[in-house]
Amino acid sequence: MNKKIIGRVDKIDFPKLELYNIDVKIDTGAYTSTIHYSEIIEENNTLRCVFNSDEHKNFGKTEITFNDYSRTTVKSSNGLKENRYKVKSEVIFFGKTYKINLTLSTRDDMRFPVLIGRQFLKRKFMVDVDLENVSYNTKTL
């Protein structure tokens, strides 16, 4: 299988989350992928999640309800373990839609609202740290 080469950062779309041209960091040190949220409400076996940020570009206020979600423990780079919600969604790289598992975390204090981890990258992509916005640049051709 041929792997696409991506850079260390990109701008990608999450159509099911109504988020477009979102800045992402490709993080081969992270196992799971994570996305910023501003508010979560769990009730009646659903998870209502608000994606909004004054800090991150293109994060307008969208509210998505998930019927299929779970919880998982994530170990951060500082060694602390955190229990997070995990949802299934879709992401577009190079014009192709892929399924992706995303843990939810507040990332307003981080430079990137989304980290793409190894679990998603494996068998699909190789990372060239000298490159940036490879998928996004093919979108605008």
Side-chain angles (χ1 to χ4, degrees):
M1 172 175 20
N2 276 346
K3 294 181 184 181
K4 291 252 187 213
I5 299 198
I6 58 173
R8 60 187 175 90
V9 297
D10 220 316
K11 295 177 190 294
I12 57 174
D13 299 335
F14 295 87
K16 286 189 169 185
L17 305 180
E18 300 173 20
L19 296 170
Y20 302 93
N21 293 328
I22 301 299
D23 291 321
V24 301
K25 178 180 178 183
I26 309 303
D27 188 352
T28 60
Y31 180 70
T32 57
S33 299
T34 189
I35 190 167
H36 169 76
Y37 75 91
S38 56
E39 185 179 349
I40 288 179
I41 301 164
E42 184 179 21
E43 61 186 5
N44 301 325
N45 296 320
T46 65
L47 187 70
R48 279 188 329 180
C49 187
V50 177
F51 298 96
N52 188 33
S53 178
D54 294 331
E55 303 298 320
H56 299 301
K57 228 168 77 171
N58 299 328
F59 254 74
K61 188 171 186 173
T62 61
E63 184 176 308
I64 306 294
T65 300
F66 298 95
N67 296 311
D68 183 19
Y69 64 95
S70 61
R71 298 206 50 127
T72 189
T73 300
V74 176
K75 187 175 178 182
S76 65
S77 60
N78 61 14
L80 297 176
K81 291 182 180 179
E82 181 181 10
N83 194 272
R84 295 183 187 169
Y85 288 102
K86 182 169 74 171
V87 297
K88 297 174 191 247
S89 193
E90 293 179 348
V91 63
I92 299 174
F93 277 94
F94 298 100
K96 183 176 176 185
T97 302
Y98 297 91
K99 293 180 181 186
I100 188 169
N101 292 317
L102 296 165
T103 63
L104 306 176
S105 179
T106 54
R107 297 186 53 81
D108 260 340
D109 57 340
M110 304 294 193
R111 184 167 173 214
F112 292 91
V114 177
L115 294 180
I116 302 295
R118 294 188 316 269
Q119 184 182 41
F120 173 77
L121 297 169
K122 68 182 175 186
R123 293 189 291 277
K124 293 185 274 301
F125 299 100
M126 288 181 52
V127 181
D128 183 336
V129 297
D130 290 327
L131 302 176
E132 294 184 6
N133 301 324
V134 179
S135 175
Y136 179 76
N137 288 337
T138 62
K139 178 176 157 179
T140 58
L141 292 177

